[in-house]
Amino acid sequence: MPGIVVDRGLEGVNVGETVLSNVEGEVGRLTFRGYDIDDLAPKATYEEVVALMLHGTLPTAAELAALEAKLSSLRALPDATLALLRALPREAWPMDVLRTAVSSLSLPLPHKPSGVHASDVDAALSLVAKTTTIVAAWDRLRQGLEPIAPHPTLGTAANFLYMKTGKEPTAEYAKALDQYYVLLVDHGYNASTFSARVTASTNADLYCAITAALATLTGELHGGAPSQVQDSLVDVGSADKAEQWVRDLIKRKGRLMGMGHREYKVRDPRAKHLEETAKRLNNGGGSYAIARALEDAWNKVIAEEKPQARIFANVDFYTAPALGALGIPSDEYTCMFACSRMAGWCAHVLEQYANNRLIRPQVTYTGPEVHPFEPIAERGREPAGSARS
Ligand code: CMC
């Protein structure tokens, strides 16, 4: 239609405001409420960043202790959710299970049709606390093992590894997963966060908004990519085969998962930290070495074949060798993303409620002109004068 600009994918369209995180795609900087992830990743725990997201400031030591105690008290799953998990088919994809189980958390709560139904910071903390418990419980149930009750004193990341194996993780493993959770907690109006905010803007409750976010995260253009990065690493097989592998991929116009980003036109700032973790946990070899060679090969081949393209490693690329080294199966990588992002999603939903306006964009209609209704007996008939060939 003349005069109407259609922004497919809303690329470059500004649809709101947030104080929670700032993605500076040209320079490759990510900040949470003004704190650079380069400072937070080595220095802050996930719980400190949860407090930053949901309470607005980094906590004092006393506030952090209170938050940790609160999360600990909220980790156990309601009976209805545990029973649901036990009833699910063991071959179910962990993200489908997580979406279903998180949705079930609101079942015991009374519904109030006012948009305020269980939609506050306490409900957000409950979701943050229970998400890792669900993922760990499903990890065991699908192997025919009993879920392990949350440890009373371990933090969110260490608790996940504990509930998965029954053993307290080493400090190195706990820190590695904790840092991953810190890095992924929020990322502007990414697709899943936007989805949560759209849902919240109708005054639907927090659980509905989070269920929508979980569904949106699953796709490979968003949170579903790291499992496929792992597939690529296996397919490449060894570092010396990386360059030819990339050339073949480019020739058949394939996509390398873990590369490229709508916002970042340089390397994703989270990739640096995850690469360091992956390198350390793999002692510089294993899947890390293949990933490193693959990234080098990618940068070389893209510079030759598509010199204008700015397609660099994103957060998901080194997620695969990092989480793989922690013993997390690749079909749970997206769940790990969700465990972290839960705090960011909740903070966005609460921010949306605090200054809500229904999100309801326009669309350009490109279908047929208005035309007469055909009674059912007349449908499928050739118009007079026409003949099928
Ligand atoms: N491999 C090969 N080509 C690519 C890739 C890639 N990973 N990413 C972009 N391109 C090419 C694409 O083929 C297109 O080329 P052409 O103009 O010749 O057709 C051009 O770059 C632009 O691609 P686009 O899909 O229009 O760009 P976008 O802004 O929508 O891309 C993206 C963002 C993340 C969807 C895309 O880079 C991609 O598909 N990456 C692989 C999947 C992935 O890693 N997803 C995780 C994203 S980061 C985590 C998160 O935020 O959830």
Side-chain angles (χ1 to χ4, degrees), residues 5 56 74-75 85 157 159 162 211 224 257 269 276 288 311 313 318 322 387:
V5 179
L74 291 167
R75 275 192 226 287
L85 288 173
N159 229 318
Y162 168 78
T211 304
M257 296 296 129
E276 282 167 13
Y288 164 72
I311 308 170
Y318 288 100

Side-chain angles (χ1 to χ4, degrees), residues 220-222 255-260 262 298 311 314 316:
E220 67 186 22
L221 301 187
H222 190 8
R255 284 199 179 211
L256 176 53
M257 296 296 129
M259 290 290 162
R262 177 64 67 81
W298 174 264
I311 308 170
N314 65 44
D316 290 337

